């Protein structure tokens, strides 16, 4: 015989009265009214449903709560007994499943999956929703659900769905409203502002007229500022970090009203609460660390300025010039092309010498630069790291220029070698069809190709030698940028509040539900804490993106092909705090 599942609160002692709750998809008892007439209970429940507090969550359910039946207490074991009202549900063979009614203030709730608690970055939530992982995890968590074979229809899976969990999560909230209606302590609903009865005389003001030229000038000015800001974000990590901090400020200002003035503690409101405080904690800790490290930089600015000037002059100017001269003198028996090597050496040494002259005259301002970087610690440690990254880019600009020139020449030689290889094989590249076709070359073309190949063969070792020097220097700079990018990404998106919340109260970060059998023999709905791996899941995306961009094989492949090595764009390791339109529609 098919059984009817009854979800009974463990904190509700069975007593004589009328129990109320939901009858679909399962019988979920929210509380007991100390009444004997069903009509009085229906009136109290109807008044609670019409309450403004319940109106905020009423749309989460397919049906309204109502009276379920008379509740009595067993004589021996104090187990609940319900006499179901006619037309509510089959009253034969009731199967009780106990659950705990969580108070709104505790912010505990039941959830199938940790992703339902939307504290992850917006694009990751969208990816999870696209892949349909929520339903997958929900079904996997309830494979041992007794309701699957006790109540569910054949072929329809488990009826223990999200609506049932919403009923369980808001059962205590409903009982508070109903009890307030019964004892006459109903909280007065918040009334919208009533218009004044006295009609104020409106001032007849003529709006100022704006000429077309002023509008076009304002539009041009705004577009110029927007383009300049976008360009600054492309070339400056400090500008990108400022934009991140601005976005966090906008997010906090928008969500503070919803976080502290929300009347109903739903899963969405708890998600906003955790995400909001995680953002605030990150910013505060970032500022604290930034102020401490910035003070250290400001107090030791002279020492760091001398060390910086000595390092730049010794390794990036004098050392680089000595290396170029050493390569020009046929090191280790490596016979380079004399004319091309001298051209490389004289040109690059001249550029490095010019940059050394600039650094020499800028050295007196290094203490001020270090003090400025330390003073920006009031904006956070991430701002200091971003400024250090920009300073590294600026101070090694001569390395990038030399690397770019040598890489461009090397890349063109590789392209020429590929074209000559096709020439000797009797083929050519078809630009229109993007493929290699057979082609019959004339004798003059083959002779010209042979001459070019001879020149290329003799000049290639010289080009490769100087390219390898500056490619190695560029690789070291890229590694430093990788360290800065990793530190910034960790400081901007570390789930500090969620991690401490997981340690302090694991039930506030549920990772699933399960049905267990208690010592008394009753089935109990239990909440499983979210694993730490799920909290740090978006860090796997960060590490994956950083590892993909800075993978040694990828960088070696780019070096071998003559492609320009660049740091990873900050937008690729940045998670938006402002909800997107898709996430807003889901909530």
């Amino acid at each position: 015989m098919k059984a009817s599942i009854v979800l009974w609160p463990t904190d509700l002692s069975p007593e004589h009265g009328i129990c109320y709750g939901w009858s679909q998809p399962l019988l979920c008892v929210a509380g007991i009214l100390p009444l004997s007439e069903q009509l009085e209970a229906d009136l109290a429940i109807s008044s609670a449903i019409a309450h403004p507090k319940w109106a905020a969550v009423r749309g989460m359910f397919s049906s309204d709560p109502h009276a379920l039946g008379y509740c009595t207490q067993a004589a021996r074991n104090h187990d609940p007994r319900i006499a179901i009202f006619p037309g509510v549900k089959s009253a034969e063979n009731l199967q009780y499943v106990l659950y705990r009614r969580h108070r709104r203030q505790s912010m505990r709730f039941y959830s199938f999956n940790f992703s339902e608690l939307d504290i992850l970055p917006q694009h990751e939530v969208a990816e999870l929703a696209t892949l349909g992982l929520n339903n997958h995890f929900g079904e996997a968590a309830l494979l041992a659900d007794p309701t699957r074979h006790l109540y569910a229809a054949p072929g329809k899976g488990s009826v223990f769905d999200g609506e049932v969990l919403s009923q369980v999560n808001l059962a205590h909230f409903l009982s508070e409203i109903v009890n307030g209606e019964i004892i006459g302590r109903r909280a007065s609903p918040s009334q919208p502002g009533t218009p004044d009865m006295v009609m104020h005389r409106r001032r007849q003001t003529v709006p100022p007229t704006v000429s077309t030229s002023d509008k076009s000038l304002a539009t041009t000015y705004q577009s110029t500022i927007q383009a300049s800001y976008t360009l600054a974000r492309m070339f400056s990590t400090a500008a990108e970090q400022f934009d991140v901090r601005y976005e966090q400020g906008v997010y906090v200002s928008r969500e503070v009203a919803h976080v502290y003035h929300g009347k109903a503690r739903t899963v969405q409101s708890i998600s906003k609460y955790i995400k909001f405080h995680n953002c605030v904690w990150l910013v505060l800790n970032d500022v604290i660390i930034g102020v401490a490290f910035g003070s250290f930089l400001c107090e030791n600015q002279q020492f760091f300025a001398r060390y910086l000037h000595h390092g730049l002059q010794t390794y990036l100017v004098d050392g680089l010039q000595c290396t170029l001269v050493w390569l020009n003198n046929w090191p280790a028996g490596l016979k380079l092309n004399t004319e091309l090597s001298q051209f490389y050496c004289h040109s690059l040494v001249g550029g490095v010498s010019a940059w050394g002259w600039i650094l020499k005259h800028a050295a007196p301002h290094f203490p001020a630069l270090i003090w400025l970087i330390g003073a920006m610690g009031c904006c956070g440690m991430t701002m200091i790291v971003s400024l250090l990254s920009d300073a590294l880019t600026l101070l090694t600009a001569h390395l990038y220029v030399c690397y770019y020139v040598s890489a461009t020449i090397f890349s063109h030689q590789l392209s020429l070698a590929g074209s000559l290889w096709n020439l000797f094989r009797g083929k050519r590249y078809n630009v229109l069809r993007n493929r290699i076709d057979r082609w019959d070359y004339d004798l003059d073309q083959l002779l010209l190709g042979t001459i070019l190949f001879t020149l290329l063969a003799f000049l290639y070792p010289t080009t490769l030698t100087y390219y390898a020097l500056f490619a190695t220097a560029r690789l070291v700079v890229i590694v430093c940028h990788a360290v800065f990018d990793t530190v910034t990404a960790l400081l901007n998106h570390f789930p500090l509040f969620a991690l401490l919340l997981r340690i302090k109260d694991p039930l506030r970060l549920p990772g699933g539900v399960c049905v267990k059998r208690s010592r008394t023999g009753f089935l109990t709905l239990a909440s499983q804490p979210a694993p730490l791996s799920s909290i740090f899941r978006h860090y796997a995306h960060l590490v994956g993106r950083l590892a993909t961009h800075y993978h040694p094989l990828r960088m070696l492949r780019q070096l071998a092909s003559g492609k320009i090595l660049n740091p990873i764009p900050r937008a690729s390791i940045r998670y938006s705090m402002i909800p997107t339109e898709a996430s807003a529609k889901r909530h």
Side-chain angles (χ1 to χ4, degrees):
M1 180 180 297
K2 184 171 63 176
S4 296
I5 301 300
V6 179
L7 296 174
W8 185 270
T10 56
D11 57 329
L12 183 64
S13 59
E15 57 184 12
H16 294 281
I18 297 178
C19 60
Y20 60 92
W22 295 268
S23 59
Q24 295 294 336
L26 298 178
L27 279 173
C28 180
V29 177
I32 300 176
L33 294 175
L35 302 174
S36 58
E37 297 294 334
Q38 181 181 359
L39 181 60
E40 297 180 5
D42 290 337
L43 291 177
I45 297 174
S46 300
S47 300
I49 294 174
H51 198 279
K53 291 184 178 180
W54 186 254
V57 297
R58 186 177 181 182
M60 300 173 57
F61 309 101
S62 59
S63 60
D64 292 328
H66 55 85
L68 300 178
Y70 290 104
C71 176
T72 58
Q73 181 179 345
R76 295 182 179 180
N77 52 8
H78 304 282
D79 294 338
R81 290 184 179 180
I82 301 178
I84 304 298
F85 290 141
V88 175
K89 187 78 72 171
S90 176
E92 300 178 357
N93 193 14
L94 297 179
Q95 176 69 44
Y96 290 92
V97 177
L98 304 181
Y99 73 94
R100 178 174 295 276
R101 296 185 304 177
H102 297 302
R103 297 178 177 271
R104 291 185 302 148
Q105 294 78 6
S106 67
M107 294 188 183
R108 297 179 177 179
F109 61 97
Y110 293 95
S111 176
F112 282 127
N113 181 23
F114 177 72
S115 62
E116 293 183 18
L117 188 63
D118 184 19
I119 64 176
L120 298 177
Q122 297 299 329
H123 71 90
E124 182 179 344
V125 177
E127 291 175 0
L128 292 176
T130 304
L131 296 176
L133 295 180
N134 290 347
N135 294 334
H136 171 72
F137 287 126
E139 291 295 329
L142 293 174
L143 288 178
D145 181 11
T147 62
R148 184 179 295 275
H149 60 272
L150 291 175
Y151 187 79
K156 293 186 178 181
S158 174
V159 296
F160 215 130
D161 54 7
E163 183 176 356
V164 175
L165 290 189
S166 299
Q167 295 172 0
V168 170
N169 291 329
L170 295 175
H172 192 276
F173 180 49
L174 176 63
S175 65
E176 287 180 347
I177 299 177
V178 173
N179 291 336
E181 295 292 333
I182 291 297
I183 62 179
R185 292 186 290 107
R186 173 181 177 182
S188 59
S190 57
Q191 298 290 342
T194 56
D196 295 334
M197 301 302 296
V198 181
M199 299 298 294
H200 295 280
R201 183 177 299 175
R202 297 182 179 178
R203 298 180 179 178
Q204 300 294 332
T205 59
V206 179
T209 58
V210 181
S211 62
T212 307
S213 60
D214 294 339
K215 289 183 179 180
S216 60
L217 182 61
T219 304
T220 305
Y221 182 72
Q222 183 178 3
S223 60
T224 303
I225 294 179
Q226 184 67 25
S228 302
Y229 185 64
T230 304
L231 189 64
R233 288 177 54 191
M234 291 176 57
F235 292 98
S236 174
T237 55
E240 182 69 26
Q241 180 59 33
F242 174 79
D243 187 73
V244 171
R245 189 67 76 228
Y246 171 76
E247 186 182 68
Q248 291 173 342
V250 171
Y251 171 78
V252 170
S253 61
R254 287 184 180 181
E255 295 296 329
V256 63
H258 302 284
V259 169
Y260 291 106
H261 300 287
K263 297 181 179 180
R265 288 295 184 184
T266 61
V267 177
Q268 288 77 16
S269 64
I270 297 175
S271 301
K272 292 182 178 180
Y273 177 86
I274 297 178
K275 194 173 183 178
F276 173 83
H277 283 85
N278 192 77
C279 179
V280 173
W281 276 43
L282 282 180
V283 173
L284 293 180
N285 284 275
D286 187 21
V287 171
I288 293 174
I289 298 174
V291 169
F293 188 76
S295 301
F296 173 73
L297 290 179
C298 293
E299 293 175 357
N300 300 273
Q301 54 179 333
Q302 297 294 337
F303 169 77
F304 286 113
R306 290 193 301 267
Y307 182 79
L308 177 62
H309 176 61
H310 174 74
L312 292 176
Q313 189 66 33
T314 303
Y315 298 103
L316 298 186
V317 178
D318 297 338
L320 192 57
Q321 290 178 348
C322 294
T323 305
L324 290 173
V325 174
W326 178 70
L327 290 178
N328 190 37
N329 294 328
W330 293 2
L334 180 62
K335 297 182 180 180
L336 305 179
N337 184 273
T338 304
E339 288 74 14
L340 183 59
S341 179
Q342 289 181 356
F343 171 77
Y344 264 110
C345 180
H346 294 164
S347 302
L348 297 178
V349 166
V352 174
S353 300
W355 188 254
W357 180 84
I358 295 176
L359 291 179
K360 181 180 179 180
H361 288 77
H365 303 285
F366 283 170
L369 175 63
I370 296 176
W371 183 89
L372 178 62
I373 294 177
M376 292 304 294
C378 60
C379 298
M381 184 65 187
T382 51
M383 183 60 69
I384 293 181
V385 175
S386 300
L387 289 173
L388 290 176
S389 180
D390 288 340
L392 177 64
T393 302
L394 182 62
L395 296 176
T396 59
H398 64 299
L399 293 179
Y400 180 77
V401 172
C402 296
Y403 164 73
Y404 185 84
V405 172
S406 59
T408 302
I409 298 175
F410 179 76
S411 177
H412 281 79
Q413 285 192 348
L414 288 182
S415 178
L416 178 59
S419 299
L420 294 176
W421 172 250
N422 292 331
L423 174 67
F424 295 147
R425 293 190 303 160
K427 296 181 180 181
R428 74 169 185 176
Y429 179 71
N430 192 334
V431 180
L432 297 178
R433 298 188 177 182
N434 193 21
R435 68 182 185 184
I436 297 177
D437 298 333
R438 296 186 60 86
W439 189 259
D440 295 330
Y441 291 97
D442 298 334
L443 182 60
D444 297 339
Q445 293 175 331
L446 294 175
L447 182 60
L448 178 61
T450 304
I451 296 174
L452 292 177
F453 179 77
T454 304
L455 293 175
L456 179 64
F458 282 102
L459 298 179
Y460 182 77
T462 305
T463 305
L464 177 61
T465 301
Y466 285 93
Y467 170 71
L469 171 64
F470 290 101
T472 304
R474 180 62 179 173
L475 187 61
V476 174
V477 175
I478 289 296
V479 171
C480 295
H481 280 295
V483 174
F484 290 148
D485 293 339
T486 304
V487 172
T488 303
L490 296 182
L491 291 177
N492 278 331
H493 306 291
F494 189 78
L496 179 62
F497 184 78
L499 181 62
L500 295 179
L501 198 63
R502 170 63 174 80
I503 298 175
K504 175 187 175 184
D505 192 356
L507 294 181
R508 291 178 63 177
L509 291 177
V513 293
C514 62
V515 179
K516 300 180 181 178
R517 188 173 294 277
S518 62
R519 298 179 179 178
T520 58
F522 281 101
L523 296 176
T524 304
L525 181 65
S527 179
Q528 296 178 339
L532 295 177
S533 59
S534 61
I535 299 177
F536 289 94
R537 183 173 57 210
H538 70 285
Y539 261 28
H541 290 267
L542 276 177
V543 174
R545 291 180 181 181
L546 291 170
T548 300
H549 186 84
Y550 294 112
H551 196 278
L553 294 180
R554 174 184 175 275
M555 299 180 73
L556 290 177
R557 187 164 53 250
Q558 283 193 317
L559 290 175
S561 60
K563 295 181 179 179
I564 304 299
L565 288 179
N566 289 315
I568 186 173
R570 282 298 182 93
S572 301
I573 55 175
R574 170 183 173 180
Y575 290 143
S576 177
M577 301 295 298
I578 300 178
T580 58
E581 295 181 0
S583 61
K585 291 180 180 179
R586 289 197 304 271
H587 297 320

